[in-house]
Amino acid sequence: MNQAVSAFLSRHNFVRHVDIDTVVDSILYDMNRGLRGETSDEDMIRTWSNPPEAAAAGKSVIVIDAGGTNFRSCLVTFDALGKAEISFMEKTKMPGVDKELPRREFFDQIAENLEHLRDKADSIGFCFSYPMEITDDGDGILIGFSKEVKAPEVVGCRIGKCLRDALAGHGWKKLRRITLMNDTVAALLAGAACPDPGMKYSSYIGLILGTGLNAAYIQPAIGSRKDFPRQIVVCESGKFRSVNRSDFDVTVDSRTVKPGTFYMEKLCSGAYLGPQSLEALKAAAADGLFSEKCSERVSKLESMTLIEADSFLHGPYNTSSVLGAIMAETGTEEDYDRMYQLLDAIMERSARYAASILAAAVIQSGEGRNASKPVCILCNGSTYYKTHGINERVHGYLEDVLTRERGLYWEIISRDNDITLGAAIGGLIERK
């Protein structure tokens, strides 16, 4: 059975066990090209900021978290000891997901989403989870949307300035600044602000593996401090192209809003793992990998989400899932095993690429050589934590490629409300 699945995957150009060391080397080469200003897949975006040295205390900041399909907004207030309280939290849909929006309507919808927070603070920490060029005053110029957001007129805009103008039109009076950041930066800042008691870290990384995929890390100074000072860098890891794409990936990519882009993200993140699974299963049915009755039912599937594919992996014999019900009615023991192996191969590949991104970020940081001061990696995203086997596999792969092979130490952590907390901290960083 294992041979049949391996042969099927090979015929469709799916590499079942990606070599992580090779991918790490390729990512590092691309990262350094980007840092030197040469052509690279990843944008390697400078943020002109570092984690603050002191805890926030006695301040309030409005937080916006815009990414994926959700738009969240709230007020974060830090007490005299720096403990954060979150209030006025609201969640709605991200503008531009349901239909294409012109620039003015895009920002007007954001302003309407923030009406409950009008003038409750003079600063906004805006976690805008799309590729941006960060300016030295904390604004962000949109490079392009991902995650199927449709608002092409917004590309090239200064997001903070456009939002400030929209809020002024909605009656805001006391707004002083809007600070833009990526969700990976917010995750990194949350990790830096909330260490476990008694822990010290040598550096920090933020990883997002949810609807999309990206990472940020702290890059040491390059050359003179004036040329490239130490700062947080957003990689835009999802744009990395030196990956092996199977027939299933090519088909899924061709149906996206922007085919031929975000190769790595489309191999790893939650928005695409479901469609990949569907293409693999339908190809398997067409190739006769399943029994006749099972193939007939699988071939009629019209759509699949990651949740549905993952439900089968968590409980193959649970008939409450779409695939579990099909298998209970038509599947043989061999069908169960082959379907499980196919879906597991897709999730395992995601874990290998995620581990490659993290390993490259740790190596590039130049830290983690002291076991008592590891690199802190804050991971965020339902795909990372909830998808079958990904979390555990990433840990195992990092243990091999970083600690055993290179003597580098790291620790993966999670925090409640991490993006909200990190965005609040980022919104309070003073710019020179």
Side-chain angles (χ1 to χ4, degrees):
M1 286 188 284
N2 186 61
Q3 292 174 349
V5 172
S6 294
F8 165 77
L9 292 173
S10 181
R11 283 197 302 274
H12 289 276
N13 202 34
F14 187 104
V15 177
R16 191 164 190 180
H17 301 295
V18 174
D19 182 74
I20 295 174
D21 280 312
T22 299
V23 178
V24 169
D25 286 343
S26 297
I27 293 174
L28 286 169
Y29 177 75
D30 188 70
M31 291 170 76
N32 282 293
R33 284 181 63 86
L35 291 170
R36 292 193 299 267
E38 301 172 8
T39 300
S40 62
D41 296 341
E42 301 164 279
D43 293 323
M44 304 305 292
I45 300 167
R46 306 184 190 193
T47 66
W48 311 100
S49 64
N50 284 291
E53 296 181 1
K59 297 179 180 180
S60 293
V61 58
I62 294 167
V63 168
I64 307 171
D65 178 9
T69 57
N70 294 319
F71 182 99
R72 298 178 178 86
S73 56
C74 66
L75 182 72
V76 177
T77 302
F78 295 93
D79 66 16
L81 299 177
K83 183 178 179 181
E85 179 185 357
I86 299 171
S87 58
F88 301 101
M89 173 68 79
E90 287 192 6
K91 181 174 78 170
T92 184
K93 262 196 170 178
M94 177 67 191
V97 171
D98 289 337
K99 65 176 183 178
E100 183 173 313
L101 296 177
R103 180 173 66 180
R104 182 171 181 175
E105 187 174 346
F106 179 85
F107 287 103
D108 275 343
Q109 283 198 15
I110 293 180
E112 290 171 8
N113 291 344
L114 298 177
E115 188 60 31
H116 65 295
L117 295 168
R118 192 202 306 178
D119 290 335
K120 293 189 181 299
D122 64 2
S123 298
I124 294 178
F126 193 169
C127 179
F128 193 68
S129 304
Y130 305 94
M132 295 179 291
E133 176 190 346
I134 299 298
T135 60
D136 56 8
D137 62 354
D139 206 341
I141 301 171
L142 180 64
I143 296 171
F145 278 115
S146 58
K147 307 169 197 172
E148 310 303 292
V149 174
K150 300 172 284 295
E153 290 183 9
V154 180
V155 176
C157 294
R158 291 176 66 101
I159 301 301
K161 180 181 183 304
C162 289
L163 179 56
R164 182 190 292 271
D165 292 343
L167 293 175
H170 283 250
W172 288 56
K173 303 295 185 185
K174 58 183 290 187
L175 188 60
R176 186 165 64 93
R177 65 183 174 193
I178 300 176
T179 302
L180 272 292
M181 71 204 77
N182 187 275
D183 50 0
T184 56
V185 175
L188 185 154
L189 291 173
C194 304
D196 288 328
M199 281 298 299
K200 286 188 177 181
Y201 297 106
S202 53
S203 192
Y204 301 91
I205 291 169
L207 174 79
I208 306 295
L209 182 53
T211 303
L213 167 72
N214 200 3
Y217 73 104
I218 300 176
Q219 170 64 41
I222 301 174
S224 70
R225 293 179 60 85
K226 184 178 180 181
D227 293 337
F228 198 119
R230 177 183 183 269
Q231 62 187 284
I232 301 169
V233 169
V234 178
C235 301
E236 292 303 333
S237 307
K239 288 186 170 184
F240 186 64
R241 295 173 63 91
S242 296
V243 293
N244 179 271
R245 297 201 303 160
S246 69
D247 296 344
F248 323 131
D249 304 309
V250 173
T251 299
V252 170
D253 176 44
S254 69
R255 296 170 180 164
T256 60
V257 172
K258 293 183 178 179
T261 63
F262 290 89
Y263 280 11
M264 179 73 94
E265 181 169 287
K266 291 173 182 175
L267 265 61
C268 298
S269 67
Y272 307 99
L273 292 177
Q276 285 172 20
S277 298
L278 177 64
E279 291 303 318
L281 292 179
K282 294 185 81 165
D287 284 11
L289 197 67
F290 303 132
S291 64
E292 185 176 349
K293 289 184 177 179
C294 181
S295 293
E296 184 179 348
R297 288 289 300 277
V298 169
S299 64
K300 292 180 180 178
L301 287 169
E302 296 183 355
S303 64
M304 182 174 296
T305 65
L306 171 57
I307 292 173
E308 291 165 347
D310 190 49
S311 293
F312 180 80
L313 290 173
H314 276 100
Y317 295 91
N318 186 340
T319 58
S320 65
S321 70
V322 172
L323 295 177
I326 290 174
M327 298 302 283
E329 295 174 9
T330 66
T332 65
E333 182 177 345
E334 188 175 82
D335 291 333
Y336 271 99
D337 188 71
R338 290 180 175 181
M339 180 175 286
Y340 189 98
Q341 285 193 53
L342 284 178
L343 297 177
D344 188 58
I346 291 170
M347 309 312 164
E348 195 253 1
R349 183 182 67 171
S350 175
R352 283 179 176 264
Y353 278 127
S356 300
I357 291 167
L358 289 176
V362 170
I363 294 167
Q364 189 68 23
S365 76
E367 299 292 350
R369 302 187 184 281
N370 186 330
S372 66
K373 292 180 67 177
V375 175
C376 175
I377 303 170
L378 191 144
C379 291
N380 170 281
S382 57
T383 301
Y384 180 83
Y385 285 107
K386 295 183 179 180
T387 304
H388 186 265
I390 286 185
N391 183 357
E392 298 84 355
R393 281 168 165 160
V394 168
H395 272 79
Y397 299 147
L398 290 181
E399 186 68 28
D400 284 337
V401 300
L402 286 179
T403 307
R404 293 176 185 169
E405 294 179 13
R406 294 176 173 86
L408 299 177
Y409 297 90
W410 50 275
E411 180 180 0
I412 293 179
I413 69 169
S414 63
R415 292 291 182 266
D416 292 338
N417 302 307
D418 48 5
I419 302 302
T420 299
L421 177 60
I425 293 168
L428 294 174
I429 294 176
E430 294 290 342
R431 302 277 174 163
K432 294 181 180 180

